Amino acid sequence: EFGKGTSPQSGIALLVAVLKKLAKVKCKVVCTTHFLEIFSLNLVRDGIGAIKAFQMVVQLPETEDDLGRPLFKIEDGVAKTSAGLLCARKAGVSKTIINRAKEILNALQNKDETVQPLEELCNPPLDLSEDEREALSIFLSTDKWKDASEEKLRRLMHHVSRM
């Protein structure tokens, strides 16, 4: 994968610069990438400047239960979409993760920068005993431990010792 270890923006910029340089010196290259942005942002244009794009064809699923199939067939043109979520589903990634990825993908495609956080990640249920809750409450209510009263320290130590 070209640009591995970089940010997507840096990888795209490097790939475009290299492809244009190679095309300029008339070097024949086969380059595979998942950076569809190089075409959607018109950074590289199919058929212009000695660059020709091809795409791998994937049979997309007809139903939710169908996993689709790679056809191992190359066609002219630029891929319009990625089959990443399809591949993830086929690899056994859970529906929860696939659905979350769809939400994020839709937000990115719609240029919506307000992807809502998952509720279960923001407020995970804590399974704490009464002593753990009390110790945590005392700990969080203290700004400066060097100024904490002896009574507060004694109460905290009491609950910690019972955990």
Side-chain angles (χ1 to χ4, degrees):
E1 177 71 34
F2 194 92
K4 186 173 183 159
T6 67
S7 70
Q9 296 87 348
S10 295
I12 290 167
L14 288 167
L15 178 59
V16 168
V18 167
L19 287 176
K20 287 188 173 189
K21 175 65 174 178
L22 293 172
K24 186 176 181 179
V25 297
K26 299 186 185 337
C27 182
K28 290 190 179 189
V29 175
V30 174
C31 173
T32 63
T33 184
H34 291 95
F35 291 140
L36 301 178
E37 297 86 350
I38 69 171
F39 294 102
S40 66
L41 297 173
N42 289 320
L43 301 172
V44 172
R45 292 191 178 143
D46 183 23
I48 296 177
I51 292 178
K52 181 65 192 136
F54 295 92
Q55 62 179 312
M56 182 66 74
V57 181
V58 175
Q59 177 189 354
L60 297 176
E62 294 178 15
T63 68
E64 187 69 24
D65 296 325
D66 182 7
L67 292 177
R69 287 164 206 76
L71 299 179
F72 302 102
K73 180 180 173 188
I74 295 178
E75 289 184 352
D76 250 0
V78 176
K80 301 289 186 252
T81 62
S82 166
L85 296 180
L86 175 65
C87 292
R89 205 173 87 208
K90 194 169 185 161
V93 174
S94 76
K95 277 190 171 191
T96 303
I97 292 173
I98 299 291
N99 290 339
R100 178 61 173 167
K102 285 179 184 176
E103 286 178 29
I104 294 168
L105 185 58
N106 287 335
L108 291 170
Q109 289 171 338
N110 295 324
K111 298 185 181 1
D112 181 1
E113 295 179 15
T114 58
V115 176
Q116 295 299 313
L118 291 176
E119 187 65 32
E120 59 268 21
L121 294 179
C122 294
N123 299 308
L126 296 177
D127 185 24
L128 301 176
S129 70
E130 187 60 36
D131 284 309
E132 290 169 326
R133 285 187 189 282
E134 280 300 315
L136 184 59
S137 175
I138 294 167
F139 180 79
L140 293 175
S141 70
T142 305
D143 288 330
K144 295 180 182 175
W145 281 100
K146 68 177 185 173
D147 298 333
S149 68
E150 288 290 322
E151 174 60 21
K152 190 174 252 191
L153 288 170
R154 189 192 61 71
R155 284 184 25 238
L156 176 64
M157 292 309 298
H158 168 75
H159 291 293
V160 169
S161 70
R162 295 176 47 154
M163 294 195 294

